[in-house]
Amino acid sequence: MDLNTLIETTASGLGYELVDVEMSPRGRTIRVFIDAPGKESGVDVEDCARLSNQLTRLFEVENVDFDRLEISSPGLDRVVKKAEDFARFAGQDIQIKIRIPLGGRRNFQGELLGCKDGKVGLRLEKEEVELEFANIEKARLVPRFD
């Protein structure tokens, strides 16, 4: 089992959604970002400690070599990776970078319209565009401060 699968299985077993996993260049630091969709207040310190303890024990058993494990909430500017998340966060502002340019552009920012049939809808200032889900390199929510 690969590291991402181990982490995702453990996180979901504890009731958390795995948002992202980052590794330092040499793999010595593992950063895990989780969400608690059923919890109105989101992820708190106790959630992070709970998963950290569980993963530390699991990594010992599985002989995963690391120096530091960091568990965190995804934050207001969370990454968006799964098709379900593009649907879940419809109506929010988002930045998207695509692999293959569309109309000479790779970077888009606007209101997320959702995800349907493998396409992500985005309302820009003057137009609406559809981006192929498979062509998305990175996507991150843009928090609004009113």
Side-chain angles (χ1 to χ4, degrees):
M1 205 182 278
D2 74 331
L3 186 62
N4 280 343
T5 306
L6 274 175
I7 294 170
E8 184 158 20
T9 303
T10 304
S12 63
L14 293 173
Y16 304 115
E17 172 194 354
L18 179 64
V19 175
D20 199 13
V21 176
E22 292 178 356
M23 303 274 292
S24 65
R26 293 188 185 96
R28 304 307 303 164
T29 300
I30 303 169
R31 287 184 193 90
V32 178
F33 298 90
I34 59 170
D35 198 1
K39 228 174 137 181
E40 194 172 307
S41 61
V43 175
D44 57 27
V45 174
E46 288 80 24
D47 295 320
C48 294
R50 184 174 172 220
L51 182 60
S52 178
N53 291 335
Q54 191 71 26
L55 287 176
T56 300
R57 289 192 293 270
L58 177 66
F59 290 168
E60 267 183 44
V61 171
E62 296 291 332
N63 293 319
V64 175
D65 190 28
F66 69 100
D67 288 333
R68 198 157 126 185
L69 174 64
E70 298 175 0
I71 311 293
S72 176
S73 74
L76 295 175
D77 63 340
R78 70 176 280 154
V79 291
V80 181
K81 288 188 168 187
K82 302 176 207 154
E84 307 86 59
D85 290 339
F86 282 96
R88 174 178 165 195
F89 294 110
Q92 296 197 34
D93 290 340
I94 192 166
Q95 285 180 330
I96 298 177
K97 181 177 184 177
I98 57 176
R99 291 179 184 89
I100 301 168
L102 175 70
R105 291 177 67 175
R106 289 186 61 211
N107 296 303
F108 296 85
Q109 182 169 335
E111 181 184 345
L112 180 60
L113 300 175
C115 184
K116 186 176 175 186
D117 300 326
K119 296 192 184 283
V120 174
L122 193 61
R123 180 176 294 126
L124 307 175
E125 281 186 28
K126 299 177 182 174
E127 63 181 325
E128 289 184 7
V129 295
E130 281 190 334
L131 307 172
E132 293 288 334
F133 176 74
N135 190 29
I136 294 176
E137 184 176 323
K138 282 194 247 179
R140 186 174 286 281
L141 294 180
V142 177
R144 291 181 189 155
F145 299 103
D146 298 327

